[in-house]
């Protein structure tokens, strides 16, 4: 099956897209809850740099997000809880043969029974500019371990962008501490503070589309 991996940047937010994501055969895409998904076992965590980017696109989303029952606002990040079907996982672990269970190696099998709260039968329910950066630059092992020179460029871009986000997030946390701010205790004030801060943008690469047979 031929797949196309592409890259685009909109409003300073990057995203990798693979047109075979929902039909992926990588171990990470294994799902036992009857849904098609790529990496949507991940429970989103919005760091300060993610929040900063969202403010520039749709600030109201943040104020609605923190009112949801499955959302926890911490001092320097927002956590969105997904679901985990404990009963289905227990039955899987109990009824699987040793060979069926061990074929996944050390991979965390609980992920097969988890799902993000934003997932729908048609995919993610929110615009990619409203997602944490880990969601947008996810690469399954079929892509990250591909020997293609072009795929390696995608892996390098992800690594560089993650390093940028980690650095900027650490810097923003220090700004918060210096100003005695936390998302948990001063959410509106914190958002307004982030809105006014100027940070250096990441220098995105221009990556070619990659055609692959997976």
């Amino acid at each position: 099956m031929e797949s196309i991996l592409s890259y685009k940047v909109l409003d300073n937010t990057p995203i990798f897209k693979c047109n075979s994501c929902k039909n992926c055969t990588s171990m990470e895409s294994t799902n036992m809850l009857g849904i098609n998904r790529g990496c949507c076992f991940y429970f989103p965590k919005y760091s300060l740099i993610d929040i900063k980017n969202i403010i520039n696109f749709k600030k109201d989303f943040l104020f609605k997000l923190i009112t949801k029952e499955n959302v926890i606002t911490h001092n320097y990040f927002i956590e969105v809880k997904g679901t985990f079907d404990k009963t289905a996982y227990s039955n899987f672990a109990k009824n699987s043969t040793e060979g069926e269970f061990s074929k996944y190696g050390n991979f965390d099998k609980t992920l097969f029974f988890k799902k993000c709260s934003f997932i729908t039968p048609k995919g993610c329910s929110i615009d990619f500019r409203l997602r944490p950066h880990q969601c947008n630059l996810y690469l399954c092992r079929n892509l990250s371990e591909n020997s293609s020179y072009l795929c390696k460029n995608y892996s390098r871009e992800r690594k560089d962008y993650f390093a940028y986000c980690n650095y900027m997030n650490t810097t923003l946390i220090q700004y918060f501490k210096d100003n005695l701010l936390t998302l948990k205790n001063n959410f509106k004030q914190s958002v307004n503070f982030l809105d006014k801060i100027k940070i250096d943008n990441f220098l995105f690469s221009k990556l070619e589309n990659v055609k692959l047979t997976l």
Side-chain angles (χ1 to χ4, degrees):
M1 177 180 180
E2 185 177 78
S3 301
I4 298 176
L5 176 62
S6 61
Y7 183 44
K8 73 175 181 178
V9 179
L10 188 60
D11 293 333
N12 204 44
T13 304
I15 183 171
F16 291 164
K17 294 193 72 173
C18 177
N19 66 342
S20 297
C21 190
K22 69 177 182 179
N23 298 314
C24 185
T25 58
S26 70
M27 189 180 298
E28 299 99 314
S29 71
T30 303
N31 175 259
M32 299 185 181
L33 298 176
I35 59 175
N36 289 326
R37 61 101 195 273
C39 59
C40 298
F41 54 77
Y42 174 70
F43 294 175
K45 175 183 173 182
Y46 291 89
S47 62
L48 293 182
I49 185 62
D50 295 317
I51 295 170
K52 169 69 173 169
N53 289 334
I54 290 172
I55 288 171
N56 296 332
F57 172 57
K58 195 174 183 180
K59 187 188 296 188
D60 289 350
F61 170 81
L62 297 168
F63 290 95
K64 292 177 181 178
L65 181 67
I66 63 169
T67 65
K68 298 183 181 299
E69 292 184 359
N70 64 317
V71 174
I72 303 173
T73 304
H74 298 267
N75 284 344
Y76 307 115
F77 67 93
I78 299 171
E79 183 180 12
V80 183
K81 295 286 189 181
T83 59
F84 171 49
D85 192 328
K86 294 181 181 179
T87 301
Y89 172 71
S90 296
N91 290 336
F92 165 74
K94 180 174 64 177
N95 298 324
S96 296
T97 65
E98 183 176 346
E100 290 172 336
F101 200 76
S102 63
K103 72 178 181 179
Y104 299 108
N106 294 325
F107 191 78
D108 182 4
K109 270 75 75 174
T110 63
L111 296 179
F112 302 155
F113 299 88
K114 292 181 179 180
K115 63 178 180 178
C116 172
S117 63
F118 293 129
I119 194 172
T120 72
K122 294 183 179 181
C124 187
S125 62
I126 58 175
D127 188 284
F128 77 90
R129 289 166 289 185
L130 300 175
R131 304 173 198 164
H133 63 276
Q134 294 92 340
C135 294
N136 287 333
L137 295 187
Y138 175 81
L139 289 176
C140 70
R141 68 188 61 196
N142 279 351
L143 297 172
S144 62
E145 296 178 357
N146 192 288
S147 60
S148 163
Y149 169 76
L150 293 177
C151 271
K152 290 180 180 179
N153 288 343
Y154 277 71
S155 293
R156 184 170 61 249
E157 181 79 353
R158 178 178 64 169
K159 181 179 178 181
D160 290 346
Y161 187 73
F162 278 23
Y164 160 83
C165 286
N166 288 337
Y167 173 77
M168 285 301 176
N169 198 61
T170 299
T171 301
L172 291 173
I173 289 174
Q174 189 58 53
Y175 287 163
F176 267 50
K177 289 180 178 179
D178 291 343
N179 288 273
L180 304 178
L181 288 173
T182 67
L183 295 170
K184 185 176 182 179
N185 296 323
N186 326 89
F187 190 78
K188 184 176 181 179
Q189 188 178 352
S190 296
V191 169
N192 290 336
F193 180 74
L194 282 173
D195 195 9
K196 295 176 182 178
I197 289 177
K198 303 296 183 183
I199 62 173
D200 295 330
N201 289 336
F202 180 74
L203 298 178
F204 298 104
S205 301
K206 293 183 179 180
L207 302 181
E208 300 177 43
N209 289 355
V210 183
K211 291 184 180 181
L212 299 163
T213 302
L214 301 177

